[in-house]
Amino acid sequence: MSTYTIGEVADLSGFTASALRYYEGIGLVAPATRTGAGYRMYDDQTLARLAFIARAKQLGCSLEEVADLVSIWDGEQCGPVQRRFHALVTDKICDAQSQITELTAFSAQLRTAASQLSRDPVDGPCGDDCACVTDTSTGDSTAVPVVLGAEPSDPPIACTLEPDAMPDRLAGWQIILEHARSRSTASDGTLRVELDPATDLGELARLVAAEQHCCAFFSFAITVDHRGTALQVGAPAGAEEIVASMFGQPT
C-alpha cells in the first residue's frame, strides 16, 4: 500500500495541512504510521476517508455530522452510511426550502417597494403621502414594513447577498467553524461558539463585517478572555433556524 506525507495528502485531497492536523486532533483522520523522525505518513485508506469527508462537507454537513457519518463509514458497510447520509441531506433540503420561501417573500416585498419608490417624489419633505413611508399595497403609512415576524424597529430577517456570492460566503464560515470546540446558548438567546487557538481572527473579523453588512438582523461579538476565543451571534426571534443552519446547534 502506498504511503504519503502530509503535504502529498494535502495536494491529493484538497485539504490544507493545517486542516489535516486539526482533523487529526478531533479524531476524524489519523496517520497510518510515523517515521522514525516523527513525521506523519498516510495511506490510501486516509485518502478515501478524506474524499468521503469532502463529499459530506460539500453537501453542507457540519463537523459534528461528518464525525457521525465517519463513525458509521468505519463499519465498512455502505447501507447504514447511505441511509444516514440521506436523512441528513433530506433535513438540509427542508431547511433550504424554508429559507427559499422566506427570501421569495422578501424579494416580492422589495419589488413592491421598488415600484413605489420609482414614482415621482412629492414636492417638499417626506410625509405621509410620499413613497418613502407609505405602503401603497395596503394604504397604510409605516416607516418600516414588518417582515417575517420581526419587530417594526428591527432590520428584516433577510439577506441582501447576491445568490452567486452565497457559496463562497458559506464556505468561508465553514472553514472558520471547523475550529469550533463547543456551542452554548446564553440566557438572552445569543449563541456562543468557542473557537480553538488556531482560528484566524483576521478572517473571522472580515467575515463578521461582511455578514453583518448583508444580514443586518445579525449581531456579532468576538471575545477573547480567560475562557479563550469565542464568537457570539445574536438574532431576533424568528431567525433561530437561520442561526442554527449557519453557525450550528448548541452542544
PDB file of all heavy atoms in Angstrom, residues 84-124:
ATOM      1  N   ARG A  84     -28.030   7.104   6.616  1.00  0.00           N
ATOM      2  CA  ARG A  84     -27.790   8.259   7.492  1.00  0.00           C
ATOM      3  C   ARG A  84     -27.521   9.512   6.676  1.00  0.00           C
ATOM      4  O   ARG A  84     -28.027  10.592   6.975  1.00  0.00           O
ATOM      5  CB  ARG A  84     -26.600   7.962   8.420  1.00  0.00           C
ATOM      6  CG  ARG A  84     -26.192   9.118   9.325  1.00  0.00           C
ATOM      7  CD  ARG A  84     -27.309   9.543  10.241  1.00  0.00           C
ATOM      8  NE  ARG A  84     -26.890  10.617  11.125  1.00  0.00           N
ATOM      9  CZ  ARG A  84     -27.702  11.578  11.555  1.00  0.00           C
ATOM     10  NH1 ARG A  84     -28.968  11.600  11.178  1.00  0.00           N
ATOM     11  NH2 ARG A  84     -27.253  12.520  12.354  1.00  0.00           N
ATOM     12  N   PHE A  85     -26.719   9.371   5.620  1.00  0.00           N
ATOM     13  CA  PHE A  85     -26.401  10.483   4.740  1.00  0.00           C
ATOM     14  C   PHE A  85     -27.687  11.034   4.113  1.00  0.00           C
ATOM     15  O   PHE A  85     -27.899  12.250   4.030  1.00  0.00           O
ATOM     16  CB  PHE A  85     -25.446  10.006   3.651  1.00  0.00           C
ATOM     17  CG  PHE A  85     -24.446  11.041   3.205  1.00  0.00           C
ATOM     18  CD1 PHE A  85     -23.330  10.661   2.478  1.00  0.00           C
ATOM     19  CD2 PHE A  85     -24.603  12.386   3.484  1.00  0.00           C
ATOM     20  CE1 PHE A  85     -22.392  11.580   2.055  1.00  0.00           C
ATOM     21  CE2 PHE A  85     -23.686  13.328   3.059  1.00  0.00           C
ATOM     22  CZ  PHE A  85     -22.581  12.927   2.339  1.00  0.00           C
ATOM     23  N   HIS A  86     -28.554  10.126   3.675  1.00  0.00           N
ATOM     24  CA  HIS A  86     -29.825  10.527   3.055  1.00  0.00           C
ATOM     25  C   HIS A  86     -30.675  11.319   4.041  1.00  0.00           C
ATOM     26  O   HIS A  86     -31.292  12.340   3.679  1.00  0.00           O
ATOM     27  CB  HIS A  86     -30.587   9.295   2.572  1.00  0.00           C
ATOM     28  CG  HIS A  86     -31.923   9.615   1.956  1.00  0.00           C
ATOM     29  ND1 HIS A  86     -33.088   9.630   2.679  1.00  0.00           N
ATOM     30  CD2 HIS A  86     -32.258   9.945   0.677  1.00  0.00           C
ATOM     31  CE1 HIS A  86     -34.088   9.955   1.890  1.00  0.00           C
ATOM     32  NE2 HIS A  86     -33.627  10.145   0.663  1.00  0.00           N
ATOM     33  N   ALA A  87     -30.728  10.875   5.296  1.00  0.00           N
ATOM     34  CA  ALA A  87     -31.523  11.578   6.304  1.00  0.00           C
ATOM     35  C   ALA A  87     -30.991  12.991   6.529  1.00  0.00           C
ATOM     36  O   ALA A  87     -31.771  13.955   6.629  1.00  0.00           O
ATOM     37  CB  ALA A  87     -31.509  10.793   7.616  1.00  0.00           C
ATOM     38  N   LEU A  88     -29.665  13.124   6.611  1.00  0.00           N
ATOM     39  CA  LEU A  88     -29.069  14.452   6.817  1.00  0.00           C
ATOM     40  C   LEU A  88     -29.358  15.375   5.636  1.00  0.00           C
ATOM     41  O   LEU A  88     -29.734  16.533   5.811  1.00  0.00           O
ATOM     42  CB  LEU A  88     -27.556  14.329   7.018  1.00  0.00           C
ATOM     43  CG  LEU A  88     -27.092  13.739   8.349  1.00  0.00           C
ATOM     44  CD1 LEU A  88     -25.588  13.516   8.332  1.00  0.00           C
ATOM     45  CD2 LEU A  88     -27.456  14.675   9.504  1.00  0.00           C
ATOM     46  N   VAL A  89     -29.169  14.855   4.422  1.00  0.00           N
ATOM     47  CA  VAL A  89     -29.382  15.678   3.231  1.00  0.00           C
ATOM     48  C   VAL A  89     -30.855  16.061   3.103  1.00  0.00           C
ATOM     49  O   VAL A  89     -31.188  17.192   2.723  1.00  0.00           O
ATOM     50  CB  VAL A  89     -28.885  14.933   1.972  1.00  0.00           C
ATOM     51  CG1 VAL A  89     -29.316  15.667   0.700  1.00  0.00           C
ATOM     52  CG2 VAL A  89     -27.366  14.801   2.006  1.00  0.00           C
ATOM     53  N   THR A  90     -31.763  15.143   3.437  1.00  0.00           N
ATOM     54  CA  THR A  90     -33.191  15.451   3.384  1.00  0.00           C
ATOM     55  C   THR A  90     -33.542  16.577   4.342  1.00  0.00           C
ATOM     56  O   THR A  90     -34.316  17.491   4.007  1.00  0.00           O
ATOM     57  CB  THR A  90     -34.020  14.195   3.721  1.00  0.00           C
ATOM     58  OG1 THR A  90     -33.717  13.160   2.777  1.00  0.00           O
ATOM     59  CG2 THR A  90     -35.510  14.497   3.645  1.00  0.00           C
ATOM     60  N   ASP A  91     -32.976  16.548   5.557  1.00  0.00           N
ATOM     61  CA  ASP A  91     -33.200  17.630   6.515  1.00  0.00           C
ATOM     62  C   ASP A  91     -32.700  18.959   5.960  1.00  0.00           C
ATOM     63  O   ASP A  91     -33.333  20.008   6.137  1.00  0.00           O
ATOM     64  CB  ASP A  91     -32.492  17.329   7.832  1.00  0.00           C
ATOM     65  CG  ASP A  91     -33.187  16.238   8.624  1.00  0.00           C
ATOM     66  OD1 ASP A  91     -34.362  15.940   8.328  1.00  0.00           O
ATOM     67  OD2 ASP A  91     -32.554  15.682   9.546  1.00  0.00           O
ATOM     68  N   LYS A  92     -31.563  18.925   5.276  1.00  0.00           N
ATOM     69  CA  LYS A  92     -30.997  20.165   4.733  1.00  0.00           C
ATOM     70  C   LYS A  92     -31.832  20.696   3.567  1.00  0.00           C
ATOM     71  O   LYS A  92     -31.919  21.909   3.360  1.00  0.00           O
ATOM     72  CB  LYS A  92     -29.543  19.938   4.317  1.00  0.00           C
ATOM     73  CG  LYS A  92     -28.649  19.680   5.522  1.00  0.00           C
ATOM     74  CD  LYS A  92     -27.192  19.546   5.164  1.00  0.00           C
ATOM     75  CE  LYS A  92     -26.399  19.159   6.406  1.00  0.00           C
ATOM     76  NZ  LYS A  92     -26.541  20.142   7.499  1.00  0.00           N
ATOM     77  N   ILE A  93     -32.465  19.799   2.826  1.00  0.00           N
ATOM     78  CA  ILE A  93     -33.381  20.234   1.767  1.00  0.00           C
ATOM     79  C   ILE A  93     -34.541  21.012   2.385  1.00  0.00           C
ATOM     80  O   ILE A  93     -34.939  22.076   1.889  1.00  0.00           O
ATOM     81  CB  ILE A  93     -33.902  19.032   0.970  1.00  0.00           C
ATOM     82  CG1 ILE A  93     -32.783  18.426   0.117  1.00  0.00           C
ATOM     83  CG2 ILE A  93     -35.080  19.442   0.076  1.00  0.00           C
ATOM     84  CD1 ILE A  93     -33.162  17.112  -0.550  1.00  0.00           C
ATOM     85  N   CYS A  94     -35.090  20.499   3.484  1.00  0.00           N
ATOM     86  CA  CYS A  94     -36.199  21.180   4.168  1.00  0.00           C
ATOM     87  C   CYS A  94     -35.768  22.554   4.650  1.00  0.00           C
ATOM     88  O   CYS A  94     -36.505  23.548   4.499  1.00  0.00           O
ATOM     89  CB  CYS A  94     -36.701  20.335   5.335  1.00  0.00           C
ATOM     90  SG  CYS A  94     -37.488  18.781   4.856  1.00  0.00           S
ATOM     91  N   ASP A  95     -34.563  22.629   5.248  1.00  0.00           N
ATOM     92  CA  ASP A  95     -34.054  23.920   5.715  1.00  0.00           C
ATOM     93  C   ASP A  95     -33.889  24.890   4.553  1.00  0.00           C
ATOM     94  O   ASP A  95     -34.244  26.074   4.652  1.00  0.00           O
ATOM     95  CB  ASP A  95     -32.710  23.731   6.421  1.00  0.00           C
ATOM     96  CG  ASP A  95     -32.833  22.980   7.734  1.00  0.00           C
ATOM     97  OD1 ASP A  95     -33.961  22.920   8.269  1.00  0.00           O
ATOM     98  OD2 ASP A  95     -31.807  22.455   8.220  1.00  0.00           O
ATOM     99  N   ALA A  96     -33.327  24.394   3.446  1.00  0.00           N
ATOM    100  CA  ALA A  96     -33.099  25.255   2.286  1.00  0.00           C
ATOM    101  C   ALA A  96     -34.422  25.748   1.702  1.00  0.00           C
ATOM    102  O   ALA A  96     -34.559  26.927   1.343  1.00  0.00           O
ATOM    103  CB  ALA A  96     -32.295  24.502   1.225  1.00  0.00           C
ATOM    104  N   GLN A  97     -35.421  24.860   1.628  1.00  0.00           N
ATOM    105  CA  GLN A  97     -36.716  25.259   1.097  1.00  0.00           C
ATOM    106  C   GLN A  97     -37.368  26.320   1.975  1.00  0.00           C
ATOM    107  O   GLN A  97     -38.015  27.249   1.474  1.00  0.00           O
ATOM    108  CB  GLN A  97     -37.632  24.040   0.970  1.00  0.00           C
ATOM    109  CG  GLN A  97     -37.237  23.062  -0.122  1.00  0.00           C
ATOM    110  CD  GLN A  97     -37.333  23.673  -1.516  1.00  0.00           C
ATOM    111  OE1 GLN A  97     -38.081  24.610  -1.746  1.00  0.00           O
ATOM    112  NE2 GLN A  97     -36.560  23.149  -2.452  1.00  0.00           N
ATOM    113  N   SER A  98     -37.196  26.176   3.291  1.00  0.00           N
ATOM    114  CA  SER A  98     -37.758  27.165   4.209  1.00  0.00           C
ATOM    115  C   SER A  98     -37.116  28.529   3.977  1.00  0.00           C
ATOM    116  O   SER A  98     -37.800  29.560   3.931  1.00  0.00           O
ATOM    117  CB  SER A  98     -37.539  26.712   5.657  1.00  0.00           C
ATOM    118  OG  SER A  98     -37.993  27.695   6.566  1.00  0.00           O
ATOM    119  N   GLN A  99     -35.791  28.532   3.816  1.00  0.00           N
ATOM    120  CA  GLN A  99     -35.101  29.796   3.561  1.00  0.00           C
ATOM    121  C   GLN A  99     -35.486  30.370   2.202  1.00  0.00           C
ATOM    122  O   GLN A  99     -35.617  31.591   2.056  1.00  0.00           O
ATOM    123  CB  GLN A  99     -33.600  29.581   3.638  1.00  0.00           C
ATOM    124  CG  GLN A  99     -33.111  29.245   5.049  1.00  0.00           C
ATOM    125  CD  GLN A  99     -31.609  29.045   5.113  1.00  0.00           C
ATOM    126  OE1 GLN A  99     -30.851  29.764   4.472  1.00  0.00           O
ATOM    127  NE2 GLN A  99     -31.181  28.056   5.870  1.00  0.00           N
ATOM    128  N   ILE A 100     -35.664  29.514   1.196  1.00  0.00           N
ATOM    129  CA  ILE A 100     -36.084  29.985  -0.126  1.00  0.00           C
ATOM    130  C   ILE A 100     -37.454  30.655  -0.036  1.00  0.00           C
ATOM    131  O   ILE A 100     -37.693  31.711  -0.638  1.00  0.00           O
ATOM    132  CB  ILE A 100     -36.117  28.817  -1.130  1.00  0.00           C
ATOM    133  CG1 ILE A 100     -34.680  28.380  -1.469  1.00  0.00           C
ATOM    134  CG2 ILE A 100     -36.860  29.215  -2.406  1.00  0.00           C
ATOM    135  CD1 ILE A 100     -34.609  27.080  -2.255  1.00  0.00           C
ATOM    136  N   THR A 101     -38.369  30.047   0.735  1.00  0.00           N
ATOM    137  CA  THR A 101     -39.704  30.621   0.899  1.00  0.00           C
ATOM    138  C   THR A 101     -39.627  32.003   1.526  1.00  0.00           C
ATOM    139  O   THR A 101     -40.284  32.954   1.078  1.00  0.00           O
ATOM    140  CB  THR A 101     -40.574  29.699   1.773  1.00  0.00           C
ATOM    141  OG1 THR A 101     -40.708  28.423   1.134  1.00  0.00           O
ATOM    142  CG2 THR A 101     -41.961  30.294   1.986  1.00  0.00           C
ATOM    143  N   GLU A 102     -38.791  32.130   2.572  1.00  0.00           N
ATOM    144  CA  GLU A 102     -38.646  33.422   3.240  1.00  0.00           C
ATOM    145  C   GLU A 102     -38.044  34.454   2.297  1.00  0.00           C
ATOM    146  O   GLU A 102     -38.495  35.605   2.235  1.00  0.00           O
ATOM    147  CB  GLU A 102     -37.780  33.260   4.490  1.00  0.00           C
ATOM    148  CG  GLU A 102     -38.442  32.423   5.582  1.00  0.00           C
ATOM    149  CD  GLU A 102     -37.511  32.173   6.754  1.00  0.00           C
ATOM    150  OE1 GLU A 102     -36.332  32.544   6.659  1.00  0.00           O
ATOM    151  OE2 GLU A 102     -37.972  31.598   7.757  1.00  0.00           O
ATOM    152  N   LEU A 103     -37.009  34.059   1.563  1.00  0.00           N
ATOM    153  CA  LEU A 103     -36.348  35.001   0.653  1.00  0.00           C
ATOM    154  C   LEU A 103     -37.260  35.377  -0.511  1.00  0.00           C
ATOM    155  O   LEU A 103     -37.226  36.510  -0.996  1.00  0.00           O
ATOM    156  CB  LEU A 103     -35.042  34.395   0.130  1.00  0.00           C
ATOM    157  CG  LEU A 103     -33.906  34.295   1.157  1.00  0.00           C
ATOM    158  CD1 LEU A 103     -32.733  33.517   0.570  1.00  0.00           C
ATOM    159  CD2 LEU A 103     -33.453  35.687   1.589  1.00  0.00           C
ATOM    160  N   THR A 104     -38.082  34.423  -0.965  1.00  0.00           N
ATOM    161  CA  THR A 104     -39.021  34.725  -2.048  1.00  0.00           C
ATOM    162  C   THR A 104     -40.037  35.770  -1.600  1.00  0.00           C
ATOM    163  O   THR A 104     -40.352  36.714  -2.336  1.00  0.00           O
ATOM    164  CB  THR A 104     -39.748  33.445  -2.507  1.00  0.00           C
ATOM    165  OG1 THR A 104     -38.789  32.506  -2.992  1.00  0.00           O
ATOM    166  CG2 THR A 104     -40.755  33.752  -3.604  1.00  0.00           C
ATOM    167  N   ALA A 105     -40.543  35.605  -0.374  1.00  0.00           N
ATOM    168  CA  ALA A 105     -41.492  36.582   0.161  1.00  0.00           C
ATOM    169  C   ALA A 105     -40.852  37.955   0.291  1.00  0.00           C
ATOM    170  O   ALA A 105     -41.454  38.981  -0.040  1.00  0.00           O
ATOM    171  CB  ALA A 105     -42.016  36.104   1.522  1.00  0.00           C
ATOM    172  N   PHE A 106     -39.611  37.968   0.755  1.00  0.00           N
ATOM    173  CA  PHE A 106     -38.919  39.242   0.922  1.00  0.00           C
ATOM    174  C   PHE A 106     -38.627  39.878  -0.437  1.00  0.00           C
ATOM    175  O   PHE A 106     -38.726  41.093  -0.603  1.00  0.00           O
ATOM    176  CB  PHE A 106     -37.625  39.031   1.706  1.00  0.00           C
ATOM    177  CG  PHE A 106     -36.890  40.314   2.000  1.00  0.00           C
ATOM    178  CD1 PHE A 106     -37.485  41.323   2.730  1.00  0.00           C
ATOM    179  CD2 PHE A 106     -35.596  40.499   1.536  1.00  0.00           C
ATOM    180  CE1 PHE A 106     -36.809  42.507   3.000  1.00  0.00           C
ATOM    181  CE2 PHE A 106     -34.912  41.676   1.805  1.00  0.00           C
ATOM    182  CZ  PHE A 106     -35.521  42.673   2.536  1.00  0.00           C
ATOM    183  N   SER A 107     -38.263  39.058  -1.441  1.00  0.00           N
ATOM    184  CA  SER A 107     -37.999  39.581  -2.785  1.00  0.00           C
ATOM    185  C   SER A 107     -39.254  40.240  -3.356  1.00  0.00           C
ATOM    186  O   SER A 107     -39.182  41.298  -3.992  1.00  0.00           O
ATOM    187  CB  SER A 107     -37.528  38.459  -3.711  1.00  0.00           C
ATOM    188  OG  SER A 107     -36.284  37.949  -3.297  1.00  0.00           O
ATOM    189  N   ALA A 108     -40.417  39.615  -3.135  1.00  0.00           N
ATOM    190  CA  ALA A 108     -41.663  40.201  -3.616  1.00  0.00           C
ATOM    191  C   ALA A 108     -41.923  41.537  -2.940  1.00  0.00           C
ATOM    192  O   ALA A 108     -42.380  42.499  -3.577  1.00  0.00           O
ATOM    193  CB  ALA A 108     -42.827  39.234  -3.345  1.00  0.00           C
ATOM    194  N   GLN A 109     -41.613  41.610  -1.660  1.00  0.00           N
ATOM    195  CA  GLN A 109     -41.802  42.856  -0.928  1.00  0.00           C
ATOM    196  C   GLN A 109     -40.859  43.940  -1.452  1.00  0.00           C
ATOM    197  O   GLN A 109     -41.247  45.104  -1.595  1.00  0.00           O
ATOM    198  CB  GLN A 109     -41.566  42.611   0.555  1.00  0.00           C
ATOM    199  CG  GLN A 109     -42.081  43.730   1.453  1.00  0.00           C
ATOM    200  CD  GLN A 109     -42.112  43.276   2.891  1.00  0.00           C
ATOM    201  OE1 GLN A 109     -41.180  42.657   3.363  1.00  0.00           O
ATOM    202  NE2 GLN A 109     -43.191  43.583   3.590  1.00  0.00           N
ATOM    203  N   LEU A 110     -39.629  43.544  -1.767  1.00  0.00           N
ATOM    204  CA  LEU A 110     -38.673  44.502  -2.315  1.00  0.00           C
ATOM    205  C   LEU A 110     -39.130  45.015  -3.685  1.00  0.00           C
ATOM    206  O   LEU A 110     -38.985  46.198  -3.994  1.00  0.00           O
ATOM    207  CB  LEU A 110     -37.290  43.855  -2.442  1.00  0.00           C
ATOM    208  CG  LEU A 110     -36.545  43.579  -1.134  1.00  0.00           C
ATOM    209  CD1 LEU A 110     -35.235  42.848  -1.432  1.00  0.00           C
ATOM    210  CD2 LEU A 110     -36.265  44.870  -0.385  1.00  0.00           C
ATOM    211  N   ARG A 111     -39.675  44.112  -4.521  1.00  0.00           N
ATOM    212  CA  ARG A 111     -40.151  44.540  -5.835  1.00  0.00           C
ATOM    213  C   ARG A 111     -41.293  45.546  -5.701  1.00  0.00           C
ATOM    214  O   ARG A 111     -41.368  46.531  -6.447  1.00  0.00           O
ATOM    215  CB  ARG A 111     -40.593  43.328  -6.651  1.00  0.00           C
ATOM    216  CG  ARG A 111     -39.435  42.514  -7.216  1.00  0.00           C
ATOM    217  CD  ARG A 111     -39.919  41.510  -8.261  1.00  0.00           C
ATOM    218  NE  ARG A 111     -40.736  40.469  -7.666  1.00  0.00           N
ATOM    219  CZ  ARG A 111     -40.250  39.328  -7.182  1.00  0.00           C
ATOM    220  NH1 ARG A 111     -38.948  39.098  -7.209  1.00  0.00           N
ATOM    221  NH2 ARG A 111     -41.042  38.418  -6.670  1.00  0.00           N
ATOM    222  N   THR A 112     -42.183  45.302  -4.735  1.00  0.00           N
ATOM    223  CA  THR A 112     -43.280  46.237  -4.495  1.00  0.00           C
ATOM    224  C   THR A 112     -42.737  47.592  -4.057  1.00  0.00           C
ATOM    225  O   THR A 112     -43.165  48.646  -4.537  1.00  0.00           O
ATOM    226  CB  THR A 112     -44.231  45.680  -3.423  1.00  0.00           C
ATOM    227  OG1 THR A 112     -44.785  44.448  -3.878  1.00  0.00           O
ATOM    228  CG2 THR A 112     -45.362  46.662  -3.147  1.00  0.00           C
ATOM    229  N   ALA A 113     -41.766  47.549  -3.136  1.00  0.00           N
ATOM    230  CA  ALA A 113     -41.171  48.794  -2.656  1.00  0.00           C
ATOM    231  C   ALA A 113     -40.458  49.537  -3.780  1.00  0.00           C
ATOM    232  O   ALA A 113     -40.547  50.763  -3.898  1.00  0.00           O
ATOM    233  CB  ALA A 113     -40.197  48.503  -1.520  1.00  0.00           C
ATOM    234  N   ALA A 114     -39.746  48.785  -4.638  1.00  0.00           N
ATOM    235  CA  ALA A 114     -39.036  49.414  -5.758  1.00  0.00           C
ATOM    236  C   ALA A 114     -40.016  50.096  -6.704  1.00  0.00           C
ATOM    237  O   ALA A 114     -39.748  51.197  -7.217  1.00  0.00           O
ATOM    238  CB  ALA A 114     -38.219  48.372  -6.507  1.00  0.00           C
ATOM    239  N   SER A 115     -41.172  49.464  -6.933  1.00  0.00           N
ATOM    240  CA  SER A 115     -42.184  50.057  -7.796  1.00  0.00           C
ATOM    241  C   SER A 115     -42.714  51.348  -7.194  1.00  0.00           C
ATOM    242  O   SER A 115     -42.884  52.363  -7.880  1.00  0.00           O
ATOM    243  CB  SER A 115     -43.328  49.065  -8.011  1.00  0.00           C
ATOM    244  OG  SER A 115     -44.361  49.636  -8.783  1.00  0.00           O
ATOM    245  N   GLN A 116     -42.962  51.343  -5.892  1.00  0.00           N
ATOM    246  CA  GLN A 116     -43.443  52.534  -5.209  1.00  0.00           C
ATOM    247  C   GLN A 116     -42.407  53.661  -5.281  1.00  0.00           C
ATOM    248  O   GLN A 116     -42.734  54.820  -5.539  1.00  0.00           O
ATOM    249  CB  GLN A 116     -43.744  52.218  -3.744  1.00  0.00           C
ATOM    250  CG  GLN A 116     -44.903  51.257  -3.537  1.00  0.00           C
ATOM    251  CD  GLN A 116     -44.999  50.807  -2.085  1.00  0.00           C
ATOM    252  OE1 GLN A 116     -45.450  49.717  -1.805  1.00  0.00           O
ATOM    253  NE2 GLN A 116     -44.551  51.639  -1.162  1.00  0.00           N
ATOM    254  N   LEU A 117     -41.164  53.297  -5.040  1.00  0.00           N
ATOM    255  CA  LEU A 117     -40.104  54.308  -4.969  1.00  0.00           C
ATOM    256  C   LEU A 117     -39.721  54.851  -6.337  1.00  0.00           C
ATOM    257  O   LEU A 117     -38.969  55.831  -6.423  1.00  0.00           O
ATOM    258  CB  LEU A 117     -38.878  53.702  -4.279  1.00  0.00           C
ATOM    259  CG  LEU A 117     -39.078  53.387  -2.791  1.00  0.00           C
ATOM    260  CD1 LEU A 117     -37.943  52.517  -2.272  1.00  0.00           C
ATOM    261  CD2 LEU A 117     -39.171  54.680  -1.975  1.00  0.00           C
ATOM    262  N   SER A 118     -40.204  54.230  -7.422  1.00  0.00           N
ATOM    263  CA  SER A 118     -39.916  54.752  -8.756  1.00  0.00           C
ATOM    264  C   SER A 118     -40.850  55.895  -9.137  1.00  0.00           C
ATOM    265  O   SER A 118     -40.656  56.539 -10.167  1.00  0.00           O
ATOM    266  CB  SER A 118     -40.024  53.624  -9.787  1.00  0.00           C
ATOM    267  OG  SER A 118     -41.365  53.170  -9.898  1.00  0.00           O
ATOM    268  N   ARG A 119     -41.878  56.158  -8.313  1.00  0.00           N
ATOM    269  CA  ARG A 119     -42.799  57.257  -8.595  1.00  0.00           C
ATOM    270  C   ARG A 119     -42.102  58.595  -8.430  1.00  0.00           C
ATOM    271  O   ARG A 119     -41.065  58.697  -7.775  1.00  0.00           O
ATOM    272  CB  ARG A 119     -43.993  57.207  -7.634  1.00  0.00           C
ATOM    273  CG  ARG A 119     -44.777  55.925  -7.693  1.00  0.00           C
ATOM    274  CD  ARG A 119     -45.961  55.944  -6.740  1.00  0.00           C
ATOM    275  NE  ARG A 119     -45.753  56.790  -5.552  1.00  0.00           N
ATOM    276  CZ  ARG A 119     -46.444  56.649  -4.430  1.00  0.00           C
ATOM    277  NH1 ARG A 119     -47.351  55.706  -4.332  1.00  0.00           N
ATOM    278  NH2 ARG A 119     -46.224  57.442  -3.404  1.00  0.00           N
ATOM    279  N   ASP A 120     -42.687  59.608  -9.002  1.00  0.00           N
ATOM    280  CA  ASP A 120     -42.148  60.953  -8.798  1.00  0.00           C
ATOM    281  C   ASP A 120     -42.260  61.330  -7.331  1.00  0.00           C
ATOM    282  O   ASP A 120     -43.300  61.075  -6.692  1.00  0.00           O
ATOM    283  CB  ASP A 120     -42.922  61.969  -9.643  1.00  0.00           C
ATOM    284  CG  ASP A 120     -42.679  61.790 -11.139  1.00  0.00           C
ATOM    285  OD1 ASP A 120     -41.601  61.266 -11.481  1.00  0.00           O
ATOM    286  OD2 ASP A 120     -43.560  62.175 -11.931  1.00  0.00           O
ATOM    287  N   PRO A 121     -41.221  61.911  -6.742  1.00  0.00           N
ATOM    288  CA  PRO A 121     -41.280  62.280  -5.315  1.00  0.00           C
ATOM    289  C   PRO A 121     -42.238  63.441  -5.087  1.00  0.00           C
ATOM    290  O   PRO A 121     -42.555  64.207  -6.002  1.00  0.00           O
ATOM    291  CB  PRO A 121     -39.834  62.676  -5.010  1.00  0.00           C
ATOM    292  CG  PRO A 121     -39.273  63.120  -6.323  1.00  0.00           C
ATOM    293  CD  PRO A 121     -39.922  62.242  -7.358  1.00  0.00           C
ATOM    294  N   VAL A 122     -42.715  63.581  -3.869  1.00  0.00           N
ATOM    295  CA  VAL A 122     -43.581  64.703  -3.506  1.00  0.00           C
ATOM    296  C   VAL A 122     -42.764  65.981  -3.491  1.00  0.00           C
ATOM    297  O   VAL A 122     -41.532  65.958  -3.365  1.00  0.00           O
ATOM    298  CB  VAL A 122     -44.231  64.476  -2.121  1.00  0.00           C
ATOM    299  CG1 VAL A 122     -45.095  63.233  -2.118  1.00  0.00           C
ATOM    300  CG2 VAL A 122     -43.164  64.391  -1.030  1.00  0.00           C
ATOM    301  N   ASP A 123     -43.434  67.091  -3.620  1.00  0.00           N
ATOM    302  CA  ASP A 123     -42.772  68.387  -3.596  1.00  0.00           C
ATOM    303  C   ASP A 123     -42.655  68.848  -2.146  1.00  0.00           C
ATOM    304  O   ASP A 123     -43.618  69.316  -1.551  1.00  0.00           O
ATOM    305  CB  ASP A 123     -43.575  69.398  -4.423  1.00  0.00           C
ATOM    306  CG  ASP A 123     -42.858  70.752  -4.511  1.00  0.00           C
ATOM    307  OD1 ASP A 123     -41.656  70.801  -4.183  1.00  0.00           O
ATOM    308  OD2 ASP A 123     -43.510  71.729  -4.905  1.00  0.00           O
ATOM    309  N   GLY A 124     -41.480  68.628  -1.551  1.00  0.00           N
ATOM    310  CA  GLY A 124     -41.273  69.008  -0.164  1.00  0.00           C
ATOM    311  C   GLY A 124     -40.699  67.850   0.631  1.00  0.00           C
ATOM    312  O   GLY A 124     -40.272  66.843   0.065  1.00  0.00           O
TER     313      GLY A 124
END
